[in-house]
Amino acid sequence: MSHPQENPLPTIWRVPDELWHTIEALLLELDPPARTGRPRIDQRAALDGIIYRLRTGCQWNQLPKAFGDDASVHRTMQRWVDRQVFPAIWAHLVKACDELGGVDYAWQAADGAMGKARFGGDATGPNPTDRGKKGVKRSILVEADGGPLSVVIDGANRHDTKLLAATLEAMVVERPEPSRAQPQHLCLDKGYDNPTGHETVARFGYIGHIRRIGEEKLDENQEKTYPARRWVVERTLSWLSKCRGLLVRYEKKAQNFLALLQLACGLLWYRRLYRLKSVLR
């Protein structure tokens, strides 16, 4: 579904004008100005500061002054987390891409990835790949071209299979009903090859494609091959890990870390929306 483009969108460090118009409208609905109390800081500058925090992983008190007072930026983010602003942005961008034919539900893939959690907090657990130190697991569902549809977090010691149902339930937009004419496939790795994994896939109405434990798929030269439709979720996890604020979790509150993940997923969809509109111009 990828399309060539002559002028790819640069890495987003500040909110583009077109995206801000959309977000501004959502903020008026979800976080309207209060009639009393202290005046709020500039909302666009605050969002720029949150994106900077997402990209760099810096401490909140190290935000450049251009974004405003760091404590005010953090309070703004906390308020937006409570009012579900970040999943609303994400969902709006998925729907905008879907209207342009840019979402393919036919082939989906899910997987999990572990990361460090420096300060612990809720939804963390001993990381088996980091000498039992506190860690977090991100479980993500993507569509055929790697666009994220869902993300949940839990402790790093939580098995992928036990997060699968929660991941499928947490889709940010309503999932189209699969049918015989338009089935939906779900590609998973060997970690889901167990009764719980197979039962969950069937319960949600997917056609499962789970690599069997002990199975090595070889090509005609007897060399190892990889599932053609599952690598997209690995690529999306890699994209998200390029944000240093997600590579290592510093937030003690799980909801704050999840909000950063939701914002990053939304920005990935905005890149696709930009690409789709460039092709139509």
Side-chain angles (χ1 to χ4, degrees):
M1 190 177 294
S2 297
H3 301 284
Q5 57 184 109
E6 297 180 359
N7 300 307
L9 185 68
T11 299
I12 298 173
W13 285 85
R14 291 179 179 269
V15 190
D17 291 340
E18 181 184 19
L19 179 56
W20 173 246
H21 294 323
T22 295
I23 293 175
E24 188 175 30
L26 288 172
L27 288 176
L28 286 174
E29 177 185 348
L30 299 174
D31 186 32
R35 295 183 179 181
T36 59
R38 297 171 57 184
R40 292 178 177 177
I41 62 172
D42 182 86
Q43 305 290 274
R44 184 169 183 174
L47 184 54
D48 286 340
I50 295 169
I51 293 175
Y52 185 88
R53 166 72 180 80
L54 169 71
R55 292 289 183 195
T56 66
C58 72
Q59 297 178 348
W60 285 104
N61 60 10
Q62 295 299 313
L63 281 179
K65 297 300 182 183
F67 301 122
D69 176 67
D70 58 269
S72 297
V73 175
H74 187 256
R75 279 196 301 271
T76 299
M77 177 179 170
Q78 294 276 80
R79 189 174 69 250
W80 289 349
V81 169
D82 292 339
R83 302 190 180 189
Q84 297 292 301
V85 169
F86 298 105
I89 295 171
W90 179 10
H92 181 89
L93 292 168
V94 175
K95 292 175 183 176
C97 288
D98 197 16
E99 290 174 359
L100 298 177
V103 185
D104 185 355
Y105 292 98
W107 287 90
Q108 300 170 41
D111 203 358
M114 291 178 286
K116 300 176 186 292
R118 292 295 192 193
F119 301 131
D122 53 330
T124 62
N127 188 340
T129 65
D130 192 27
R131 296 173 292 173
K133 295 180 180 179
K134 290 288 188 180
V136 64
K137 175 165 286 186
R138 299 164 286 164
S139 178
I140 187 170
L141 174 74
V142 304
E143 49 82 70
D145 199 29
L149 298 172
S150 170
V151 64
V152 298
I153 62 173
D154 208 327
N157 58 326
R158 186 78 165 173
H159 196 279
D160 287 345
T161 305
K162 295 183 178 180
L163 288 176
L164 181 58
T167 305
L168 298 178
E169 289 172 350
M171 286 185 66
V172 72
V173 294
E174 185 176 356
R175 174 189 167 203
E177 191 70 26
S179 64
R180 181 168 296 182
Q182 294 181 312
Q184 294 179 22
H185 303 259
L186 182 60
C187 302
L188 303 166
D189 66 14
K190 297 178 184 179
Y192 300 87
D193 183 22
N194 50 60
T196 301
H198 288 278
E199 188 276 331
T200 302
V201 170
R203 176 157 54 91
F204 281 84
Y206 286 101
I207 298 173
H209 301 268
I210 305 177
R211 176 67 64 84
R212 302 305 299 262
I213 294 175
E215 175 190 38
E216 291 293 347
K217 188 173 181 180
L218 305 178
D219 62 15
E220 58 185 11
N221 298 318
Q222 297 301 299
E223 295 181 354
K224 187 175 179 180
T225 61
Y226 298 89
R229 295 182 181 273
R230 207 189 66 78
W231 64 271
V232 291
V233 68
E234 301 285 358
R235 182 183 63 179
T236 302
L237 286 167
S238 177
W239 283 340
L240 294 175
S241 292
K242 291 183 182 300
C243 298
R244 296 182 66 86
L246 302 179
L247 183 63
V248 178
R249 172 181 162 180
Y250 290 98
E251 282 71 25
K252 291 184 179 180
K253 293 182 179 180
Q255 62 179 4
N256 290 348
F257 182 67
L258 181 60
L260 291 177
L261 273 166
Q262 291 166 340
L263 175 59
C265 289
L267 293 179
L268 288 178
W269 280 103
Y270 177 70
R271 298 187 68 86
R272 183 178 298 190
L273 183 62
Y274 177 90
R275 184 174 72 233
L276 290 168
K277 289 184 175 181
S278 297
V279 171
L280 295 174
R281 290 191 184 104

